[in-house]
Amino acid sequence: MWNQFKVLAGNEAPPSSEQKEPYGYLRDYAVANKAMVFWLGTNTPEQKALFDKILADVPAGTPYLGWFSNDTEGEFNGVELLSNHSIYVLAADWFSNLTVFSGTENKGQGPLPSDKVKTPKLENKIYVTYTFSEGDNFQYNQHRMRNLWDDPNRGKVPINWTSSPMLYDGAPAMLNYYRSTATANDQLIAGPSGGGYFYPNAWPENTLPAFLKKTSSYLKKTGMTVPYVLNRVANQNVPLSDSVVKAYEDNYRPNGLLLSWEDHFGVEILNGNLPVSTIQGISTVQDGQKILADAKAKWDGKSPLFVSLGLLAWNMTPTDVVKLTDSLGPEYQP
């Protein structure tokens, strides 16, 4: 056996797996599950027609693992197309060893948050909510979120961390880690738009309630009972329809929803019962400071004001959130 292996030393690093086999990360999971593999876009008529045909042949609630071509345009068109067919997305093209992680045990680390939240006594302040983006991205839990989680300033300021309730099946060990190491200021919430990435207005009305009912158990088991919802049609953010609001109310029964990624913030009560807070996205500390300063300038100070800021996870860190919070005056309450 001595000559079966060759040992070499050199000054060049060996090629990475990505260089050897681009986009091979999900291959083991596809093989293990005997899944159909295809790569089709939505911008080429011939490809879109075949894409439509494939999607029409699978049951409602089927997951689509992987991603799309053409960056954000491909994302918006692709997620909308799949939503039209009652199919949700798990962005997993960079997820390593999913076959192994899906076989780990869910230990249920840490207490689950209570569904019944005691309403605090409000003051005439500007209440600021911070929410990290990318919870629609399944592999984000394995990569960028873990880096952010290791920030030494995590836990100093209350932050919503969008994640995927499907970690319960797909990567229990990761879910165990986040739950067991979360501080009182770390709140895991369901990324867009609940049990998977989809646009609810684009989802057929006749299948949405059943899908939400089926996936509601994942939100409860993971403690991610507050959904962050993205809702796009024809590449545009759109308001939630009455039927969608009712479907969320009846099946997820959330205390409230976080909605969209806009250039403005706001709060409204839909159907007279469901609080919905629109998120205004920021990518720097300076963005947040400007938005909050403008909010203060327009505020009369006679009643509470609620501002939801979305933190672009690729740009910002918990340290940035602490820096932003420390720059605020006593009239702000994070």
Side-chain angles (χ1 to χ4, degrees):
M1 294 292 292
W2 66 271
N3 63 345
Q4 296 296 309
F5 302 97
K6 184 182 291 185
V7 179
L8 297 175
N11 60 1
E12 292 185 9
S16 68
S17 59
E18 171 65 12
Q19 291 172 304
K20 290 181 179 179
E21 195 67 50
Y23 300 103
Y25 298 101
L26 199 55
R27 182 170 297 175
D28 62 309
Y29 194 72
V31 171
N33 286 277
K34 299 180 180 179
M36 181 180 184
V37 178
F38 58 91
W39 179 251
L40 297 169
T42 57
N43 294 333
T44 304
E46 295 81 4
Q47 290 192 23
K48 185 176 183 296
L50 180 56
F51 207 166
D52 261 318
K53 186 176 186 303
I54 293 171
L55 300 178
D57 285 342
V58 300
T62 296
Y64 172 94
L65 278 76
W67 200 232
F68 310 96
S69 59
N70 297 325
D71 200 35
T72 54
E73 182 182 0
E75 173 188 348
F76 297 166
N77 291 335
V79 175
E80 183 177 351
L81 176 64
L82 268 72
S83 297
N84 290 159
H85 288 276
S86 305
I87 295 170
Y88 67 95
V89 178
L90 293 176
D93 51 319
W94 291 89
F95 204 116
S96 299
N97 298 318
L98 185 55
T99 305
V100 174
F101 279 106
S102 62
T104 56
E105 182 182 357
N106 195 308
K107 297 180 179 179
Q109 297 285 347
L112 292 173
S114 173
D115 287 338
K116 297 180 180 179
V117 179
K118 185 178 180 180
T119 303
K121 183 178 180 180
L122 296 177
E123 303 177 57
N124 291 341
K125 289 189 173 186
I126 301 173
Y127 288 87
V128 184
T129 299
Y130 300 118
T131 302
F132 268 116
S133 66
E134 304 312 313
D136 57 307
N137 192 331
F138 200 51
Q139 62 223 350
Y140 161 74
N141 296 276
Q142 186 180 42
H143 303 295
R144 177 61 175 171
M145 182 172 170
R146 175 57 196 269
N147 292 335
L148 294 174
W149 200 260
D150 288 344
D151 188 305
N153 284 310
R154 176 178 62 84
K156 294 183 179 179
V157 176
I159 293 176
N160 291 325
W161 298 82
T162 58
S163 184
S164 174
M166 295 308 166
L167 287 176
Y168 190 87
D169 284 343
M174 292 183 192
L175 178 61
N176 293 339
Y177 176 77
Y178 288 124
R179 284 187 54 194
S180 64
T181 56
T183 71
N185 279 332
D186 297 313
Q187 178 70 44
L188 294 174
I189 67 173
S193 290
Y197 184 19
F198 60 94
Y199 301 148
N201 270 31
W203 195 287
E205 284 188 29
N206 63 323
T207 61
L208 181 61
F211 173 73
L212 295 182
K213 183 177 182 179
K214 182 178 180 180
T215 55
S216 64
S217 63
Y218 285 90
L219 275 66
K220 292 177 182 177
K221 290 185 290 190
T222 59
M224 303 181 198
T225 54
V226 176
Y228 171 33
V229 178
L230 290 179
N231 194 39
R232 297 188 178 111
V233 174
N235 289 347
Q236 299 296 318
N237 293 329
V238 295
L240 298 174
S241 68
D242 290 343
S243 63
V244 165
V245 173
K246 187 176 188 306
Y248 272 91
E249 280 188 302
D250 291 347
N251 297 284
Y252 278 176
R253 301 184 181 278
N255 290 317
L257 299 179
L258 293 167
L259 177 66
S260 203
W261 186 271
E262 302 282 2
D263 59 1
H264 62 274
F265 61 86
V267 176
E268 56 184 334
I269 308 297
L270 299 183
N271 285 4
N273 187 54
L274 183 65
V276 176
S277 183
T278 297
I279 283 181
Q280 182 165 1
I282 64 173
S283 57
T284 66
V285 171
Q286 291 73 27
D287 288 346
Q289 289 171 330
K290 183 179 186 306
I291 290 169
L292 293 173
D294 290 346
K296 178 184 174 182
K298 298 173 183 177
W299 177 53
D300 62 12
K302 297 179 180 179
S303 61
L305 178 66
F306 301 93
V307 180
S308 287
L309 295 181
L311 312 170
L312 187 62
W314 307 117
N315 290 48
M316 299 195 70
T317 67
T319 293
D320 292 324
V321 181
V322 171
K323 182 179 179 181
L324 171 56
T325 302
D326 287 346
S327 72
L328 303 177
E331 62 273 30
Y332 297 92
Q333 178 65 54

